[in-house]
């Protein structure tokens, strides 16, 4: 796992082979962030990373200048890995909240709003299609904010009222909502 640009550019972290997480490929991550520069300035932004897995997206967001990132990951080993990466980079706790818990419980109880939300659920998750609606029903996105949803090829969100565009990089699909 590599941080592409910003304050921590070029830092690498070896992901344990035992991980169940499917990290967003560097190729897909670099391309989607290139697209996102036309939608959002990450400098000073408040961000939420759902189903954080390895923490790759959270760390990229912090590297690009986000003021605060909330990372939500249920798996104990993945959560611990994200904490270790944060410590290696000396990221202050005031800038990075790493929560271990169920994303759906978090979504239902969260009272915060974010400039940017990224969600990368397991592609086989049966509740996957409900996530965009939950984000908008709970008003988690600030006015003008961006929500990026990573999903498998079997999903099409182009009819969603907040749909902006879809990007595909290899087998990785991103839908952008606003």
């Amino acid at each position: 796992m590599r941080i592409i640009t910003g304050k921590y550019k070029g830092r690498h972290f070896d992901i344990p082979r035992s991980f169940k997480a499917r990290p967003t490929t560097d190729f897909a991550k670099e391309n989607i962030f290139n697209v996102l520069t036309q939608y959002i300035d990450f400098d000073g932004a408040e961000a939420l990373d759902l189903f954080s897995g390895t923490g790759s997206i959270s760390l990229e967001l912090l590297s690009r200048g986000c003021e605060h990132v909330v990372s939500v990951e249920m798996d104990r080993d993945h959560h611990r890995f994200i904490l270790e990466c944060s410590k290696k980079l000396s990221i202050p706790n005031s800038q990075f909240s790493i929560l271990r818990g169920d994303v759906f419980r978090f979504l239902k109880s969260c009272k915060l709003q974010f400039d940017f939300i990224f969600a990368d659920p397991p592609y086989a998750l049966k509740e996957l299609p409900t996530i965009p609606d939950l984000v908008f029903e709970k008003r988690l996105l600030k006015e003008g904010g961006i929500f990026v949803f990573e999903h498998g090829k079997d999903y099409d969100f182009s009819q969603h009222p907040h749909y902006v565009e879809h990007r595909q990089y290899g087998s990785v699909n991103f839908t952008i909502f606003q």
Side-chain angles (χ1 to χ4, degrees), residues 3 18 20 25 27 43-44 51 54 68 78 80 85 96 108 115-116 123 130 140-141 148 151 161 174 176:
I3 299 176
S18 62
K20 298 170 231 133
T25 65
F27 173 75
D43 195 37
F51 305 96
T54 62
H68 188 252
H78 298 183
R80 187 179 313 120
C85 292
F96 195 15
K108 289 176 183 169
D115 300 294
F116 180 77
Y123 289 0
T130 68
L140 298 178
L141 207 56
V148 175
H151 55 84
F174 296 103
I176 300 172

Side-chain angles (χ1 to χ4, degrees), residues 77-146:
D77 294 333
H78 298 183
H79 177 261
R80 187 179 313 120
F81 180 78
I82 298 167
L83 284 169
E84 289 170 8
C85 292
S86 174
K87 286 178 186 164
K88 286 178 184 174
L89 294 172
S90 300
I91 299 170
N93 291 340
S94 61
Q95 193 178 6
F96 195 15
S97 302
I98 307 165
L99 309 177
R100 181 170 172 243
D102 180 78
V103 165
F104 293 98
R105 282 189 184 154
F106 175 84
L107 289 174
K108 289 176 183 169
S109 65
C110 182
K111 304 292 183 215
L112 303 172
Q113 286 191 312
F114 302 90
D115 300 294
F116 180 77
I117 300 174
F118 186 92
D120 180 10
Y123 289 0
L125 185 71
K126 67 178 181 165
E127 300 92 350
L128 184 146
T130 68
I131 295 169
D133 286 337
L134 276 172
V135 166
F136 288 102
E137 285 169 12
K138 298 303 282 179
R139 300 179 191 268
L140 298 178
L141 207 56
K142 290 181 183 177
E143 184 74 28
I146 297 294

Side-chain angles (χ1 to χ4, degrees), residues 132 136 157 159-165 176-178:
F136 288 102
F157 295 96
Q159 299 307 308
H160 194 279
H162 296 278
Y163 173 86
V164 174
E165 69 173 288
I176 300 172
F177 300 90
Q178 192 166 29

Side-chain angles (χ1 to χ4, degrees), residues 2 16 18 28 31 33 58 60-61 63-64 79 83-84 87-88 105 120 148 153 158 164 167-168 171:
R2 172 177 66 94
S18 62
N31 279 288
F33 272 96
S58 290
E60 188 70 39
L61 290 166
S63 184
R64 289 171 183 256
H79 177 261
L83 284 169
E84 289 170 8
K87 286 178 186 164
K88 286 178 184 174
R105 282 189 184 154
D120 180 10
V148 175
K153 65 179 179 195
S158 60
V164 174
R167 295 288 177 125
Q168 181 177 354
S171 63

Side-chain angles (χ1 to χ4, degrees), residues 2-72:
R2 172 177 66 94
I3 299 176
I4 296 162
T5 197
K7 181 177 179 179
Y8 308 116
K9 178 182 180 177
R11 293 293 300 266
H12 286 264
F13 296 94
D14 293 325
I15 299 167
R17 292 182 185 263
S18 62
F19 268 30
K20 298 170 231 133
R22 164 203 33 76
T24 304
T25 65
D26 285 348
F27 173 75
K29 182 169 66 169
E30 186 169 4
N31 279 288
I32 195 62
F33 272 96
N34 286 340
V35 169
L36 290 172
T37 60
Q38 64 186 313
Y39 290 105
I40 186 168
D41 179 4
F42 291 106
D43 195 37
E46 301 275 338
L48 173 63
D49 181 12
L50 300 170
F51 305 96
S52 300
T54 62
S56 173
I57 298 298
S58 290
L59 296 173
E60 188 70 39
L61 290 166
L62 289 161
S63 184
R64 289 171 183 256
C66 281
E67 185 174 317
H68 188 252
V69 174
V70 176
S71 172
V72 183

